[in-house]
Amino acid sequence: MTQVFEISGMHCGGCASRVQQAAATLAPGATVTLDPPRLTLPEGTTLDTEALNRKLAELGDYRAKGPLAQG
């Protein structure tokens, strides 16, 4: 199952790029989209929401919600 997190606080491509770089340090291969504002992990990769939010807090006012159900 693929983990998908909704990311709040992203408003532009620069935000998405910062979140992408941070996520890649925790889960290589993670992808971030701005519309919708989501972080998707590669199949078989898992990430704890709290660990992700700690990493995002270092960047600014970004917050992950999830993981959302994804098939």
Side-chain angles (χ1 to χ4, degrees), residues 1-50:
M1 178 176 263
T2 302
Q3 274 189 315
V4 178
F5 296 87
E6 184 178 329
I7 307 294
S8 63
M10 291 194 310
H11 304 289
C12 66
C15 293
S17 178
R18 284 188 287 281
V19 170
Q20 172 78 47
Q21 289 175 355
T25 65
L26 298 171
T31 57
V32 174
T33 59
L34 188 55
D35 188 22
R38 292 195 175 156
L39 166 79
T40 304
L41 301 180
E43 184 74 30
T45 303
T46 59
L47 187 57
D48 178 69
T49 306
E50 287 186 32

Side-chain angles (χ1 to χ4, degrees), residues 46-69:
T46 59
L47 187 57
D48 178 69
T49 306
E50 287 186 32
L52 177 56
N53 278 320
R54 280 192 300 271
K55 189 68 172 177
L56 293 177
E58 296 173 9
L59 305 175
D61 193 24
Y62 305 112
R63 182 115 178 107
K65 177 182 175 185
L68 308 172

